[in-house]
Amino acid sequence: MNLELLESFGQNYPEEFDGTLDSISLAATCAFNRRGTLLAVGCNDGRIFIWDFLTRGIAKSISAHVYPVCSLSWSRNCKKLLSASTDHNVCIWDVLSGECEQRYRFPTPILRVQFDPRNDKRFLVCPMRHAALLVDTDGEHKILPIDEDGDINVIASFDRRGDHVYTGNAKGKILILDSQTLTVKASFKITVGTSSTTGIKSIEFARRGDCFLVNTSDRVIRVYDTNTVLKSGVNGEPEPIQKLQDLVNKTTWKKCCFSGDGEYICAGSARQHALYIWEKSIGNLVKILHGTKGELLLDVVWHPVRPIIASISAGVVSIWAQNQVENWSAFAPDFKELDENVEYEERESEFDVEDEDRSVDAAADCRPDEELEVDVTSCEPVAAFCSSDEEGEDESMLTFLPIAPEIEDPEDGWAATQETVTPSETPEKLEPVAKRPKSKTYDISLKIAPPEQTLSFGGKNKQTAGSKKVAGRPRK
């Protein structure tokens, strides 16, 4: 269906539960591609399932990691998928073939990964207990500068076009860095009340518009305008456009995201499977979607184009959508809905191939119209698929994955030949497995501070107490 026909004059957010996607294993994180036609789901057993979101079927399964997948990111042309796991590895996958192109080993677990929105040759990595990194696909990396307070618990994110990198630490300080030179363009601190600070949990950007949100530990979601923040400069004090929170239950937020058009904000509760939806311009709460009681929410993503939300809880992806009512009279103004059958009297020439009753002058008027050529080959670019700084759509984008049909009872004389395409192969990738190049592995060394060990039983006297215990009781 054309996107132009989906423009609703009412609310543009999901209202009800619309089924689940069961990935066989327990789902942990998910991410839509740029068009919203494919949904990548990372699971606890290290596998990645790519769902065809239109047919709601699994298009590809990738045995990516050994440990749970914690973060996923699509490239701009949707041909590559970036994955991070708790096994300290970050991998780049060819979505069409399912092969690993590059593998990066880190000395610490990875919290988040993200492709550059306009350059698939580099990506952003947020390691645990270390500053964020900008990594090139050839293995070179740059460490993002941290604030003067020296806090290394940093979360980072690209802006909408990859011009800047926004970093936030556990002390409430946000730095805006130039993504090329890594110089600080602006900075500000989020304070609660007069002096106390709050930790930054995540920074999310809208796909359209110039807004971003900051999820903090004080259970408040703050929405800022990027232009205002950049104009405020270093150590500025920009005021948020909106402050969103649950005043009744004082809910802490697990994951936040913008709608595809940037007009709505969805936040998932960290206590239960509940999704809160606000209208960004006004700041009012428009909907609360409740899932199964007793389940904890793991991830929430909004469809890039349609009013659809995918949430993960109890290892299953839940889909939330609008209740579509079939209104046929919207397509034909003279269409009338009937409660019961009505006897219809047809004209004598109504269904004739040639109307015998029409006048000669009317037939003459129709001749010039029949000679008009209708262009059915050229496609007008859809505004929802184009960025504001682009005129046309990206023709090289991977929108769907080819799937070979499973033939249960083949006909007589049918034999699998080399030309037959299997689900893991494409016409461009018909070379033997032995000839396929192996993935390159890069070891990225970082100076990781040892974790703080809590001292018990008086701290320094712990070793002496332990040595006495080993020695045993004194002899009488």
Side-chain angles (χ1 to χ4, degrees):
M1 184 181 288
N2 293 331
L3 286 170
E4 284 78 5
L5 298 178
L6 291 177
E7 293 294 333
S8 60
F9 296 99
Q11 62 274 12
N12 205 16
Y13 53 87
E15 294 180 297
E16 60 182 19
F17 179 73
D18 191 32
T20 59
L21 305 179
D22 193 353
S23 299
I24 304 171
S25 55
L26 297 176
T29 183
C30 60
F32 278 108
N33 68 340
R34 190 177 160 206
R35 287 277 180 90
T37 54
L38 300 174
L39 177 67
V41 179
C43 300
N44 274 347
D45 60 359
R47 287 188 292 179
I48 299 174
F49 292 94
I50 298 178
W51 288 78
D52 188 316
F53 200 70
L54 297 184
T55 62
R56 303 282 177 95
I58 296 177
K60 187 174 285 294
S61 173
I62 302 174
S63 297
H65 299 272
V66 180
Y67 288 91
V69 179
C70 59
S71 182
L72 294 169
S73 177
W74 290 84
S75 63
R76 182 171 175 80
N77 59 7
C78 306
K79 293 182 178 180
K80 295 181 181 180
L81 184 65
L82 184 66
S83 68
S85 170
T86 53
D87 59 4
H88 303 192
N89 287 341
V90 174
C91 300
I92 298 178
W93 303 91
D94 186 328
V95 176
L96 208 54
S97 65
E99 299 291 327
C100 179
E101 293 187 349
Q102 281 104 2
R103 187 183 302 272
Y104 305 86
R105 293 175 182 167
F106 290 83
T108 181
I110 306 301
L111 300 175
R112 185 176 187 269
V113 289
Q114 183 187 9
F115 262 123
D116 188 322
R118 296 296 174 95
N119 181 12
D120 59 0
K121 297 294 184 183
R122 65 173 187 167
F123 54 92
L124 187 65
V125 179
C126 299
M128 188 179 292
R129 302 193 311 275
H130 193 277
L133 306 171
L134 266 179
V135 183
D136 294 329
T137 52
D138 56 2
E140 300 293 328
H141 70 276
K142 298 178 182 178
I143 300 177
L144 270 61
I146 59 176
D147 193 50
E148 298 172 354
D149 54 16
D151 188 16
I152 58 175
N153 296 313
V154 175
I155 194 71
S157 175
F158 279 109
D159 64 359
R160 186 163 64 97
R161 292 178 181 164
D163 296 329
H164 299 91
V165 179
Y166 286 61
T167 68
N169 60 17
K171 296 183 179 179
K173 190 64 175 288
I174 293 180
L175 301 180
I176 296 93
L177 310 172
D178 187 286
S179 62
Q180 300 295 333
T181 62
L182 300 185
T183 55
V184 179
K185 294 294 183 181
S187 65
F188 64 98
K189 199 165 192 175
I190 296 179
T191 58
V192 182
T194 56
S195 60
S196 60
T197 59
T198 179
I200 309 296
K201 296 173 68 176
S202 64
I203 301 174
E204 302 289 341
F205 283 84
R207 292 177 181 267
R208 296 193 174 275
D210 297 319
C211 292
F212 69 97
L213 63 84
V214 180
N215 181 20
T216 54
S217 300
D218 64 346
R219 308 174 186 183
V220 178
I221 302 170
R222 295 170 173 84
V223 184
Y224 292 91
D225 182 76
T226 54
N227 298 321
T228 305
V229 171
L230 288 171
K231 287 179 182 178
S232 64
V234 180
N235 294 327
E237 295 181 357
E239 286 295 324
I241 303 173
Q242 295 290 348
K243 287 185 178 181
L244 310 174
Q245 58 182 320
D246 183 6
L247 294 171
V248 178
N249 301 317
K250 298 295 182 182
T251 307
T252 56
W253 308 114
K254 175 71 175 178
K255 176 74 184 299
C256 306
C257 60
F258 279 95
S259 61
D261 55 4
E263 295 299 324
Y264 293 90
I265 293 172
C266 177
S269 171
R271 298 177 182 172
Q272 57 184 338
H273 191 181
L275 305 176
Y276 292 67
I277 301 175
W278 291 273
E279 191 173 356
K280 185 195 69 178
S281 58
I282 306 174
N284 60 325
L285 183 66
V286 294
K287 190 71 177 177
I288 302 178
L289 301 172
H290 291 284
T292 307
K293 289 186 177 180
E295 293 181 354
L296 293 179
L297 196 68
L298 295 178
D299 200 2
V300 178
V301 289
W302 197 304
H303 194 281
V305 181
R306 300 171 186 266
I308 298 174
I309 293 176
S311 63
I312 295 180
S313 67
V316 178
V317 181
S318 301
I319 307 299
W320 308 85
Q322 278 184 330
N323 183 16
Q324 300 291 343
V325 179
E326 294 180 348
N327 185 13
W328 296 101
S329 60
F331 297 96
D334 55 347
F335 189 90
K336 296 180 181 179
E337 296 183 13
L338 303 177
D339 295 331
E340 57 184 8
N341 292 337
V342 176
E343 209 171 305
Y344 179 70
E345 297 179 2
E346 66 173 87
R347 300 191 310 272
E348 185 178 350
S349 60
E350 184 173 359
F351 296 104
D352 294 348
V353 177
E354 294 183 2
D355 192 356
E356 299 174 354
D357 299 336
R358 69 179 179 181
S359 61
V360 180
D361 296 336
D365 295 340
C366 294
R367 285 174 186 171
D369 296 337
E370 295 175 358
E371 297 176 359
L372 293 176
E373 293 185 2
V374 180
D375 186 9
V376 294
T377 56
S378 61
C379 298
E380 292 291 331
V382 181
F385 293 154
C386 302
S387 297
S388 56
D389 59 341
E390 293 178 336
E391 294 182 357
E393 301 176 23
D394 188 1
E395 297 180 355
S396 64
M397 183 183 301
L398 179 66
T399 311
F400 298 100
L401 287 177
I403 304 176
E406 296 180 1
I407 303 175
E408 296 180 357
D409 298 321
E411 298 177 359
D412 295 336
W414 183 88
T417 59
Q418 190 178 4
E419 286 79 13
T420 305
V421 180
T422 60
S424 60
E425 295 177 339
T426 59
E428 295 83 9
K429 299 275 184 179
L430 285 176
E431 51 186 323
V433 179
K435 292 185 179 180
R436 290 177 182 169
K438 293 183 179 180
S439 60
K440 295 181 181 179
T441 302
Y442 300 93
D443 288 322
I444 297 179
S445 59
L446 303 173
K447 295 181 180 179
I448 305 295
E452 298 178 0
Q453 297 179 354
T454 55
L455 299 177
S456 58
F457 302 108
K460 294 181 180 179
N461 295 328
K462 185 177 179 181
Q463 292 183 352
T464 58
S467 60
K468 287 183 180 179
K469 189 174 181 179
V470 173
R473 292 184 180 180
R475 297 180 180 178
K476 293 183 179 178

